[in-house]
Amino acid sequence: MNTNYRGHILEVTRAGVSKWTALAKICEGLGIAPSEIAAIGDDTNDIEMIVNAGMGIAMGNAVDEVKRVADYETESNARDGVARAIERLLS
């Protein structure tokens, strides 16, 4: 459970559909290999994407399950974590 959220979140998807399946399908159409994908996430619904991407990045505020499977951890969203991760990837 991600304690960063207040209230309740309900995500409804079709069986067999996830962030990773969508991202993989788009990249397949563009001729981009999974090894060329960087994925950034913070909650358990991001784990499949982080594990399958060539570079899996956990936000600093991510739940522990995400941090365990990521290749590296960036700063939290409050500290510009996505921008810092992109900067690192491009340098």
Side-chain angles (χ1 to χ4, degrees), residues 49-73:
M49 180 177 65
I50 288 171
V51 167
N52 286 292
M55 174 62 67
I57 305 164
M59 295 296 296
N61 56 286
V63 296
D64 289 339
E65 295 93 336
V66 172
K67 290 178 179 181
R68 277 195 290 275
V69 300
D71 295 301
Y72 87 91
E73 182 180 333

Side-chain angles (χ1 to χ4, degrees), residues 2 8 16 20-23 25 27 32-33 35-36 39-40 45-47 49-51 53 58 66 72 88:
N2 192 327
H8 301 281
W20 172 249
T21 58
L23 183 57
K25 186 73 171 171
C27 289
I32 300 169
S35 62
E36 298 176 285
I40 305 172
N45 64 334
D46 299 317
I47 290 175
M49 180 177 65
I50 288 171
V51 167
V66 172
Y72 87 91
R88 177 178 172 173

Side-chain angles (χ1 to χ4, degrees), residues 1-2 4-10:
M1 180 173 164
N2 192 327
N4 294 315
Y5 305 120
R6 290 185 175 85
H8 301 281
I9 295 174
L10 174 63

